[in-house]
Amino acid sequence: MKRILLVDDAATVRMYHRDILECAGYAVEEAWNGIEALEKALQSPFDLFLVDVNMPKLDGYGFLRELRRLEIPQMPAIIVSTEAEADDQLQAYRSGANGYLVKPVSPSQLLTHVRLMLGEHSQ
Amino acid sequence: MAFVKRKAMEPAPADVPKQERSCAELTACLEDSDPQTRRQAAREMLHFPDVSGALVSRLRREQDAAVREVILTTLVRLADPSAAAGMAECLRSEDAALRNEVIEAIGLLSGDVSATLRTLLADSDPDVRIFAVNILDSRRQPDVESWLIEVIEKDVHLNVCATAVDLLCEVGTEAALEPLLRLKVRFVSEVFIQFAANRAIKRIRGV
């Protein structure tokens, strides 16, 4: 079972994404900021990260930069943000994101992107 | 060995207060290339009036996290209207780390920041309004629920309302039930708002 780490300080967003992903057969873990996410990423590998931008302690871009700097497997990461400007997306990709979704994300949109990142798009 | 001994006995040079430096000197030090000099200057500026503008100006460009932390601490301790307004303006920064630091700092400001919050919640940029709700979360003032209810009743942007609903899940009382039900009607086709509002309603009703 593929493992996904949800990183978001909003509990409602984490629960919403968790419901969608677990119903689709993924194992989901949660972190409420970038620091907690880094700790979890170092403890055990994940197949995908879904990452908010604005979080206390360590924001999503900072988390991705640290993640890419560390010598751990380079798993894909999708930024999931309320910010829809092109500059925001550019900043995300420069920080190491592989995809970008603007909130709120519909269930089908989320699953399409997750499957694409995990190489399951043809299934 | 002698160097180690000296270090053990004396405070680091940057921690030694520079006595009787003028406000103009300290403001100039904020532009120094050495982060420790900038940090020390920001700390000492607490003792001067009308320095919030200079501190905010530096904060917007400052790349060193430790210097930013001292600048924000000084601004929080100054707590004048100029400090609050200047920090609020930093919410428009492209730097996500700075935005989050500012949200936490405004949350720590003493006194009434209602005017600043009211301005932020009326901003034309929905992201700034979301940050304003984040500040409400950070401050947890006694009337936070009434602010959040006003947001979900009036704000036209889905993500601003969703952020307010997430906080209402924690602090909402029965007073929020009707506004949450009206929000569901207003965004009837938005799956996430339905999910978030239902979660808040269940929590308030104790279901």
Side-chain angles (χ1 to χ4, degrees):
Chain A
M1 188 181 281
K2 296 281 177 68
R3 298 179 72 234
I4 298 173
L5 181 62
L6 302 176
V7 192
D8 200 307
D9 59 332
T12 306
V13 175
R14 293 199 305 271
M15 287 181 67
Y16 173 73
H17 289 161
R18 175 188 274 274
D19 282 2
I20 296 167
L21 294 168
E22 286 186 340
C23 283
Y26 297 105
V28 176
E29 286 199 37
E30 300 178 12
W32 81 281
N33 64 39
I35 296 286
E36 193 184 12
L38 271 179
E39 289 169 358
K40 293 199 171 189
L42 287 168
Q43 283 168 7
S44 57
F46 288 90
D47 298 288
L48 177 67
F49 300 96
L50 289 178
V51 187
D52 182 28
V53 172
N54 293 300
M55 296 179 288
K57 312 245 184 249
L58 181 62
D59 63 89
Y61 299 147
F63 163 70
L64 285 183
R65 285 192 294 270
E66 280 300 302
L67 191 70
R68 297 321 187 199
R69 193 179 62 80
L70 295 168
E71 291 182 359
I72 56 176
Q74 298 295 292
M75 294 306 173
I78 303 174
I79 285 283
V80 187
S81 173
T82 56
E83 292 157 293
E85 300 294 321
D87 283 351
D88 300 315
Q89 301 194 25
L90 188 61
Q91 199 174 350
Y93 288 116
R94 280 180 175 159
S95 300
N98 306 93
Y100 195 99
L101 288 169
V102 178
K103 292 177 182 177
V105 184
S106 71
S108 62
Q109 191 185 14
L110 181 65
L111 289 175
T112 298
H113 279 74
V114 165
R115 286 171 179 149
L116 190 66
M117 286 292 158
L118 294 173
E120 303 171 333
H121 52 287
S122 59
Q123 292 175 20
Chain B
M1 185 62 81
F3 176 68
V4 172
K5 189 175 179 183
R6 189 184 73 84
K7 274 188 78 177
M9 294 175 64
E10 297 172 5
D15 292 335
V16 177
K18 309 288 190 301
Q19 294 297 319
E20 297 179 13
R21 290 200 289 182
S22 70
C23 185
E25 285 174 310
L26 292 171
T27 303
C29 285
L30 281 181
E31 303 300 324
D32 195 276
S33 59
D34 177 11
Q36 289 197 344
T37 301
R38 299 200 298 276
R39 198 171 60 192
Q40 183 65 31
R43 189 176 291 127
E44 286 183 50
M45 286 174 83
L46 175 65
H47 307 295
F48 291 92
D50 305 325
V51 292
S52 296
L55 288 166
V56 168
S57 170
R58 181 66 220 176
L59 178 65
R60 295 167 72 100
R61 292 170 285 125
E62 181 58 62
Q63 295 297 306
D64 188 289
V67 180
R68 286 211 305 233
E69 186 179 344
V70 174
I71 291 175
L72 283 166
T73 301
T74 300
L75 287 168
V76 167
R77 291 176 70 183
L78 287 167
D80 55 30
S82 170
M87 284 194 282
E89 203 53 37
C90 290
L91 295 174
R92 299 182 199 284
S93 167
E94 292 296 308
D95 184 338
L98 174 60
R99 293 196 303 259
N100 291 314
E101 289 159 8
V102 163
I103 287 168
E104 287 188 40
I106 297 177
L108 294 171
L109 277 174
S110 60
D112 186 8
V113 295
S114 299
T116 301
L117 281 171
R118 183 75 56 197
T119 303
L120 290 172
L121 285 170
D123 198 278
S124 60
D125 183 347
D127 289 325
V128 171
R129 303 203 298 278
I130 289 171
F131 300 144
V133 176
N134 293 150
I135 291 168
L136 285 170
D137 187 4
S138 176
R139 289 186 69 81
R140 292 296 173 99
Q141 51 202 52
D143 58 347
V144 62
E145 185 184 24
S146 62
W147 285 83
L148 296 171
I149 287 173
E150 189 175 330
V151 170
I152 67 168
E153 293 271 42
K154 292 183 179 171
D155 204 290
V156 296
H157 198 282
L158 190 155
N159 282 327
V160 181
C161 292
T163 307
V165 172
D166 187 60
L167 184 49
L168 275 172
C169 255
E170 294 179 47
V171 302
T173 67
E174 287 194 356
L177 286 175
E178 286 299 322
L180 284 165
L181 290 169
R182 283 194 288 275
L183 181 74
K184 287 185 64 176
V185 172
R186 199 151 64 92
F187 292 104
V188 70
S189 61
E190 294 292 348
V191 180
F192 179 66
I193 281 288
Q194 300 301 313
F195 177 92
N198 285 338
R199 177 172 179 253
I201 290 166
K202 281 180 188 171
R203 209 283 301 158
I204 292 167
R205 287 179 173 158
V207 179

